[in-house]
Amino acid sequence: MSRRRAPAVVLLLAATLAACAVAGLALGPVRIPPGQVLGTVLDGPGRPGAFASIVWDVRMPRVLLGAVVGAGLAVAGTVLQALVRNQLADPFLLGASSGASAGAVAVIVLGAGAGVLGGIGVPLAAFAGSMGALVAVYALARRGGTMTTGRLILAGVAVQYVLSALTSLVLVLAAHPDQMRSVLFWTLGGLGGARWDELALPAIALLLGTGLLIALARPLDLLLAGEEGARTLGLDTGRFRAAVFVLTSLVIGVLVAYSGAIGFVGLMVPHAARMVVGAGHRALLPVAALGGAVFLSLADLLARTAAAPEEIPVGVVTALVGGPFFLWMLRRSTRTEGVAG
C-alpha cells in the first residue's frame, strides 16, 4: 500500500515545490506579487525592469540551489541510513558535512591547491573531507563486527569536534576579514552566494548520484535484511558499502562546496518519507529528494524573511527544527539500546 502511494506523493511534493519556488521568488526585502513573478518567469530572463532583475539574477539561482542541495542532502541521508542500518545517520551528524566544510575552507583560506586545480579545487577538497570523515566515523563506530547507535553517535560527535577545531584553526590563520566571513558561511551554511554559473556542478552531482542510487535500490534494500542476509542473497556487502560511501561522499562534497554545512535535512526528511512510502528505496529515494527540496526551500524562505532585512543562516533554521527532532529520535532509540553501546 505504501509503494502504491508513491506516485501520488511525488505529484503532491512536486506541486508543493513549485509553490515554494513561487514564494521564494516573490518574498524578500522587495515583495513582488505572485502573478507578476509568474509573468516574469514566463517572459524569460531578457525582460527589462527591476523586478525581472531581482527574479532572474538574485532569487532564481538561490531558489534552484536550495532545491538541489535539499534534495541531495535528503538522498544522501537516506542512503547513509541504509548503509549503517541506523535511522539516526545523517551527513551532518556523521561528520560528512563538517569534513566537506573543513576541506573547502582549507582551499579558500590557505589556497592549498587552488592554483593547480582551478575552479574544481573547492569541490574536490570538500569531497576529500567528506569521504575522510565518513570513513573515520565508520571505522570508529564499528567494533567487533557490530555497530550500535551509541557508538555511531559518539564517533560522529568526536569527528565533528576534531573537524570543528581544524576549521577554527583555519579561521585564526585567516589574514583578511573577508576570509573570516567565508569560514563563518561554511560553518553555518547559506544560499546567499548562489550564482547561475555555479549551479551546473551541484545539479549534475544530484542527478547522476540520485540516478545511480535508484539503480542500486535493490542492493540497498538487501542491506536492510542484515549483513548475513544480504550476503546469503549474493551481495558483496564490503565492496558495495565502499562504492556507495564514495558516491555519497562525492554528492555531499559537491553540495557542501556551494552551500556550506547545513544539518539535519538528511535526518528528518528520510524518516518522514519512510513513514509515507515505506522502506523500499526505489520509491523512497525520489520522495526523499522532493521532500528535501521542499524542506530546504521553506527553511531558506524563513531565513530570508523572519528577521528581514537581516538574514539568518539557513543552517541555523534547520538546526532549530532538527535538533529537537534528533533528541526525540534518540530518546526513542535508546529505550531498547543503551547509548554506551
Side-chain angles (χ1 to χ4, degrees):
M1 291 297 295
S2 296
R3 190 175 300 177
R4 292 175 185 175
R5 202 183 298 145
V9 174
V10 167
L11 290 175
L12 178 61
L13 287 173
T16 305
L17 181 59
C20 292
V22 173
L25 295 174
L27 299 178
V30 177
R31 301 207 169 193
I32 305 174
Q36 193 160 357
V37 167
L38 292 174
T40 302
V41 171
L42 293 175
D43 287 342
R47 180 179 180 178
F51 284 167
S53 178
I54 292 172
V55 169
W56 281 103
D57 298 335
V58 179
R59 294 181 183 173
M60 184 72 79
R62 180 168 185 158
V63 167
L64 293 176
L65 181 62
V68 168
V69 171
L73 292 177
V75 167
T78 303
V79 172
L80 288 176
Q81 289 170 12
L83 290 179
V84 301
R85 296 184 61 214
N86 195 310
Q87 292 188 15
L88 291 175
D90 166 77
F92 185 78
L93 295 174
L94 295 188
S97 295
S98 299
S101 294
V105 167
V107 171
I108 290 173
V109 176
L110 303 179
V116 177
L117 298 173
I120 67 169
V122 172
L124 191 60
F127 162 67
S130 172
M131 184 66 194
L134 279 177
V135 170
V137 170
Y138 186 77
L140 290 170
R142 190 173 179 83
R143 185 179 64 191
T146 61
M147 181 186 304
T148 65
T149 297
R151 286 205 299 271
L152 184 68
I153 294 170
L154 293 176
V157 169
V159 170
Q160 278 197 73
Y161 271 124
V162 172
L163 293 171
S164 296
L166 290 175
T167 305
S168 298
L169 178 62
V170 173
L171 178 60
V172 171
L173 296 176
H176 304 291
D178 290 342
Q179 291 179 335
M180 294 184 181
R181 284 193 291 270
S182 296
V183 172
L184 185 62
F185 160 78
W186 288 108
T187 56
L188 297 179
L191 303 171
R195 303 201 312 261
W196 280 109
D197 58 350
E198 294 182 345
L199 287 176
L201 190 56
I204 291 171
L206 170 66
L207 293 175
L208 289 180
T210 304
L212 289 173
L213 291 169
I214 291 176
L216 297 173
R218 184 176 180 276
L220 288 170
D221 291 342
L222 293 180
L223 285 180
L224 300 179
E227 198 86 9
E228 293 300 323
R231 288 176 181 170
T232 302
L233 294 171
L235 180 65
D236 187 339
T237 56
R239 288 187 178 183
F240 179 74
R241 272 201 174 95
V244 177
F245 261 126
V246 172
L247 177 59
T248 306
S249 299
L250 179 59
V251 173
I252 296 170
V254 171
L255 296 178
V256 173
Y258 292 98
S259 68
I262 299 175
F264 297 103
V265 179
L267 173 69
M268 294 185 291
V269 175
H271 183 73
R274 202 175 288 111
M275 293 175 64
V276 177
V277 297
H281 286 85
R282 190 169 298 278
L284 179 61
L285 287 172
V287 170
L290 286 170
V294 169
F295 175 74
L296 193 57
S297 296
L298 290 174
D300 185 53
L301 183 61
L302 180 62
R304 288 194 287 123
T305 58
E310 297 297 325
E311 183 174 316
I312 304 171
V314 68
V316 173
V317 176
T318 60
L320 288 174
V321 177
F325 182 85
F326 172 71
L327 293 175
W328 171 73
M329 287 194 67
L330 181 61
R331 180 183 178 187
R332 192 180 68 167
S333 67
T334 52
R335 287 176 183 173
T336 56
E337 177 186 356
V339 172

